[in-house]
Amino acid sequence: MAVSNEVLSSCPCVTREIDLLKAIFIISLLEALMHFSSASTIEIPEFIKVLSVSDIEASSDFKIKSPKRGIFKTKPLLIVESPSKASTISKYLKVAYEVKSTIGHIKELPEKRLSVDIENDFAIEEEVIEDKKKLVNELKKISKTAPEVIIATDSDREGEAIAAHIASEMDKSKISRVIFTEITKEGVEAGLNDRKEIDEDLVKAATTRRIVDRLFGYKVSPVLWSTLQKNMKFVQGRLSAGRVQSSALKIIIERERLRQSFNSAL
């Protein structure tokens, strides 16, 4: 989709020096036009300079020059987990990045089946969470025109798993990983200057925890329900067996059985 010379030449700010706000307005306008088109870039006339964000942020005395040809450049996509973090980071980075949040996990094991193949090295089946499909499609659409996709989810194993899930839905050649140790202007700048790879060990740790959760939930919980409902009439609902509590209880029972079977030598 091309922006016509007539439309741009009718804007007075094109033919003279423009200030920061006017430049940002033109960028926003062209971005909006591109968002509703199928083109990845918008060609603009010869008398318009490439409107790069770094040029605009560098000086409010920005002047349009006349290159042979200009292509409007889209912004890198920066993805975090929390909407509040996205809002704060956007204030620090201004218009330089498109900042979006996943609002937590975007993929999970399907709820209505085990989704863990015990006979095949515990291979798992994951899918995009139903109420996150619209968000994921939006992120994928933005990523197609973004020059880079920067994943800045949390630095723990769950954050790393979310990062891996995001990367699995996008062009991996555009992906880079950063970590913000603090959500301050300095912390964000430091993180963006330290690009990393997704930590596969942390991803495996998160996956393992999820597998154990699922196996206990699907295999142990039914035993818990039937036992308690049979022997404790006040238990009406279904209870979920946790991976930590169940393991701890098993250890306690085994130790108690050893104690009861112990025969003193005295």
Side-chain angles (χ1 to χ4, degrees), residues 59-252:
S59 173
S60 60
D61 297 322
F62 178 72
K63 295 182 180 180
I64 291 178
K65 298 179 182 179
S66 301
K68 293 182 178 179
R69 181 169 180 165
I71 301 293
F72 177 71
K73 296 180 179 178
T74 56
K75 297 180 287 188
L77 173 60
L78 176 63
I79 303 175
V80 297
E81 289 182 49
S82 162
S84 60
K85 283 185 181 180
S87 177
T88 302
I89 292 169
S90 293
K91 293 176 183 177
Y92 296 142
L93 299 178
K94 298 183 171 43
V95 297
Y97 292 81
E98 182 85 12
V99 185
K100 296 288 184 180
S101 69
T102 63
I103 319 174
H105 282 274
I106 63 168
K107 284 188 175 184
E108 260 296 1
L109 303 178
E111 292 184 0
K112 296 183 178 180
R113 51 189 182 273
L114 184 60
S115 304
V116 178
D117 190 344
I118 300 174
E119 304 299 327
N120 186 26
D121 198 26
F122 294 92
I124 63 172
E125 173 191 357
E126 291 179 312
E127 63 182 16
V128 176
I129 300 169
E130 186 62 36
D131 61 1
K132 294 292 182 72
K133 287 183 177 179
K134 183 178 180 181
L135 171 64
V136 171
N137 287 335
E138 178 189 359
L139 293 176
K140 288 169 69 175
K141 183 176 180 180
I142 297 172
S143 73
K144 288 179 181 178
T145 58
E148 184 181 12
V149 178
I150 305 167
I151 303 175
T153 49
D154 295 349
S155 59
D156 57 9
R157 65 187 180 191
E158 296 303 314
E160 212 68 22
I162 294 172
H165 290 157
I166 294 170
S168 70
E169 293 292 319
M170 299 182 184
D171 182 353
K172 288 183 173 53
S173 66
K174 293 184 177 183
I175 298 291
S176 63
R177 176 80 165 104
V178 301
I179 293 174
F180 299 143
T181 55
E182 58 181 41
I183 306 302
T184 61
K185 186 174 182 180
E186 294 76 16
V188 171
E189 289 176 352
L192 289 173
N193 289 327
D194 185 17
R195 304 301 172 92
K196 306 175 182 295
E197 298 291 331
I198 293 175
D199 189 331
E200 293 299 333
D201 288 337
L202 279 180
V203 175
K204 290 176 182 177
T207 303
T208 301
R209 183 203 63 79
R210 193 67 193 91
I211 290 172
V212 174
D213 272 351
R214 179 54 60 96
L215 292 178
F216 271 103
Y218 269 70
K219 299 293 185 179
V220 181
S221 292
V223 178
L224 179 67
W225 304 334
S226 61
T227 302
L228 292 182
Q229 289 174 355
K230 180 180 179 180
N231 297 284
M232 303 173 72
K233 302 301 182 183
F234 60 87
V235 177
Q236 300 295 326
R238 291 186 171 186
L239 303 175
S240 177
R243 69 185 187 279
V244 176
Q245 299 95 321
S246 299
S247 302
L249 181 59
K250 183 176 185 294
I251 293 171
I252 291 171

